Amino acid sequence: MTSPVSPAVDAVVKPDHGASRGHFIFTDEHEQLRESIRAFCQRELAPHALEWEETTFPNWVFERMGELGFLGLSYPEEYGGQGGDYYANIVLAEEMVHAECGGLAMGVAVQTDMATPPVHLFGTEEQKQRYLVPAIAGEKIACLGITEPDAGSDVAGIKTRAVRDGDEYVINGSKIYITNGHRADFIVLVTKTDPDAGYDGFSLFLVDMDLPGVIREKKLEKMGMHASDTALLAFDDVHVPADALLGQEGKGFYHVMWELQSERMIGAAGAVAGAQRAFDKTLEYASERTAFGRPIAKFQVTRHKFAEMATKIESARQMVYNAAWRVHNGEYPVREITMAKLHASRIAVEVADECLQIHGGAGYMKEYGIERVWRDLRLNRIGAGTDEIMLEVIGRSYGV
Ligand SMILES: Cc1cc2nc3c(=O)[nH]c(=O)nc-3n(C[C@H](O)[C@H](O)[C@H](O)COP(=O)(O)OP(=O)(O)OC[C@H]3O[C@@H](n4cnc5c(N)ncnc54)[C@H](O)[C@@H]3O)c2cc1C
């Protein structure tokens, strides 16, 4: 394309609203990956989405995704991964919306971008062989236990204790709202090993969920994300060997803060993609639905709603891609990730609400799926850290 500012005198320059590639951070390989994930979601997952809202999605989804290589896109080949870069994870988070099943996308994201990254970064070789390799293959399902009945935003307030006893640790405590908690084979568990040591008193453990004393108390009923399972877990004198410690003893708080960045990035990418999908569906609906003799999309007020939503989505997407670019380049951009997570979550909720409004009564009906998107996306402002906590993190990063 010639410069839009000074086109050749005889050229007619028309706006180009389509782009062959999503963004300059993505290569042709990423776009091919995007296509294959999307085709898999549309062909093998989306047809079951409604059924899984009732039953939660089945475990074969992990096995199948492991077989296709989707659970280890950026992990090294020596552990069964695809050896790709960080952008591949963003592509996965974006394309999973085509499963049309928010709870499923969340369950998979817990496996790929929340529970396994600490095993890869902090784990010993033996731990990687025992947990990371089968998790990438889809043979073991992972969950992550941070939140407790008395401590969510205030991670430092957790009470789950791990006490050294000879060659073992004995764990007692409970965790709540744990995604994949009912189906998981292992949990990356945040505990306190030294309650008097402040932020230096936390440790992570890899705990097999079939150990005596691990109790899957109940499946929690939720407002949305119905296809995922969400557990209340109890740990009652659970004995784990000393080598179940993940990372350094006493450094678990810092390890989990690192993990949360990955969780927030992927949550933000998924929120943008979810908003985009709601937008696309709604644009289609508004172009077909007529009122007062014309498609409702042709009312200026509706057109402006689409313009506002598109601009919001684009702003959040650019923030996600910018933060991903920094991660890709080896930075630890906590402020940018936090801003992207906050903004993406907020706009996703706003877009879902506006889309529901544009659907009118149909938006309130289950059949159109938009009310489900509205319920599912609402979680983004709470999970992986609430909006208020994101604002705290951003504000404090300026030293105030
Ligand atoms: C469906 C679902 C799935 C989840 N999956 C997992 C999982 O797999 N693993 C896991 O560990 N956790 C999981 N969570 C937990 C989630 O991360 C927490 O719910 C979230 O971090 C908020 O913690 P809380 O619920 O205890 O809220 P609280 O901490 O009790 O917060 C309540 C309110 O107080 C506000 N607040 C708290 N502190 C401050 C402050 N300092 N300043 C201003 N406002 C404040 C909050 O923003 C919020 O509005 C999940 C939650 C849900 C709903």
Side-chain angles (χ1 to χ4, degrees):
M1 187 186 112
T2 50
S3 161
V5 185
S6 55
V9 190
D10 57 348
V12 178
V13 183
K14 293 194 173 169
D16 177 8
H17 296 305
S20 55
R21 186 178 290 169
H23 191 266
F24 56 75
I25 64 169
F26 298 120
T27 62
D28 287 343
E29 284 79 47
H30 292 120
E31 297 307 328
Q32 282 159 13
L33 174 68
R34 186 184 292 289
E35 272 175 38
S36 65
I37 298 172
R38 185 178 299 200
F40 161 70
C41 288
Q42 288 172 338
R43 224 179 287 136
E44 299 186 38
L45 305 179
H48 306 287
L50 282 180
E51 174 197 336
W52 294 343
E53 282 292 293
E54 305 297 326
T55 59
T56 72
F57 72 93
N59 291 348
W60 66 251
V61 171
F62 287 104
E63 288 159 29
R64 180 73 179 126
M65 289 188 72
E67 193 177 276
L68 292 168
F70 296 158
L71 299 181
L73 291 172
S74 62
Y75 287 130
E77 290 174 22
E78 58 179 304
Y79 299 117
Q82 301 299 304
D85 58 17
Y86 186 64
Y87 301 141
N89 293 38
I90 300 290
V91 170
L92 178 71
E94 291 180 333
E95 294 309 314
M96 285 306 292
V97 298
H98 295 285
E100 297 184 32
C101 196
L104 185 156
M106 180 166 74
V108 169
V110 166
Q111 177 96 348
T112 55
D113 290 271
M114 302 179 199
T116 53
V119 186
H120 178 236
L121 190 68
F122 310 120
T124 62
E125 189 53 33
E126 203 193 327
Q127 289 173 331
K128 287 179 196 173
Q129 293 299 335
R130 187 159 167 203
Y131 296 100
L132 183 63
V133 170
I136 289 174
E139 290 158 4
K140 274 192 179 174
I141 299 171
C143 66
L144 173 72
I146 306 172
T147 310
E148 299 187 358
D150 293 327
S153 304
D154 180 14
V155 176
I158 64 155
K159 295 198 182 98
T160 296
R161 281 293 313 273
V163 178
R164 182 90 193 215
D165 181 15
D167 291 342
E168 294 184 330
Y169 287 88
V170 182
I171 300 174
N172 279 286
S174 67
K175 296 285 170 184
I176 199 166
Y177 312 140
I178 306 306
T179 304
N180 294 346
H182 275 273
R183 63 175 92 222
D185 297 293
F186 69 93
I187 184 167
V188 173
L189 189 68
V190 186
T191 71
K192 258 188 192 162
T193 35
D194 184 353
D196 300 324
Y199 292 124
D200 293 317
F202 294 78
S203 301
L204 304 187
F205 286 89
L206 278 162
V207 180
D208 290 317
M209 294 290 284
D210 58 0
L211 284 179
V214 178
I215 305 157
R216 305 182 206 232
E217 293 234 12
K218 63 172 171 183
K219 264 191 188 166
L220 302 167
E221 302 277 330
K222 306 187 290 293
M223 165 183 166
M225 297 291 199
H226 288 165
S228 65
D229 82 69
T230 309
L232 170 63
L233 304 173
F235 299 84
D236 183 13
D237 274 339
V238 179
H239 290 249
V240 295
D243 64 7
L245 180 72
L246 176 62
Q248 290 179 59
E249 177 160 353
K251 298 297 172 212
F253 188 81
Y254 308 101
H255 293 345
V256 91
M257 288 300 132
W258 174 85
E259 180 284 326
L260 281 170
Q261 305 314 313
S262 165
E263 185 168 341
R264 288 171 186 163
M265 269 305 299
I266 236 59
V272 173
Q276 182 67 58
R277 198 174 141 268
F279 177 96
D280 293 343
K281 271 180 83 133
T282 306
L283 189 59
E284 207 180 305
Y285 179 82
S287 305
E288 285 165 9
R289 174 76 179 171
T290 56
F292 299 96
R294 67 174 84 166
I296 57 170
K298 295 287 183 189
F299 294 121
Q300 188 184 47
V301 69
T302 316
R303 186 159 57 238
H304 286 192
K305 284 181 179 187
F306 281 115
E308 292 281 10
M309 290 193 288
T311 307
K312 285 177 183 178
I313 294 170
E314 189 60 19
S315 66
R317 182 182 287 124
Q318 296 304 325
M319 290 174 82
V320 170
Y321 289 170
N322 177 56
W325 177 78
R326 288 172 177 271
V327 171
H328 178 80
N329 286 296
E331 293 178 36
Y332 188 42
V334 172
R335 183 191 288 162
E336 286 76 10
I337 291 174
T338 315
M339 286 174 167
K341 189 318 191 159
L342 173 71
H343 188 56
S345 303
R346 282 177 164 174
I347 68 98
V349 170
E350 289 166 12
V351 167
D353 195 62
E354 197 68 282
C355 286
L356 195 147
Q357 189 68 19
I358 293 171
H359 273 77
Y364 210 75
M365 297 298 123
K366 289 205 161 178
E367 153 183 17
Y368 290 84
I370 209 79
E371 59 82 36
R372 178 149 61 88
V373 172
W374 184 80
R375 285 186 285 111
D376 288 353
L377 283 175
R378 186 60 181 81
L379 176 62
N380 287 280
R381 293 188 51 206
I382 298 168
T386 63
D387 285 7
E388 293 75 20
I389 294 305
M390 296 307 98
L391 289 167
E392 274 295 291
V393 173
I394 297 164
R396 283 170 192 233
S397 77
Y398 290 99
V400 291

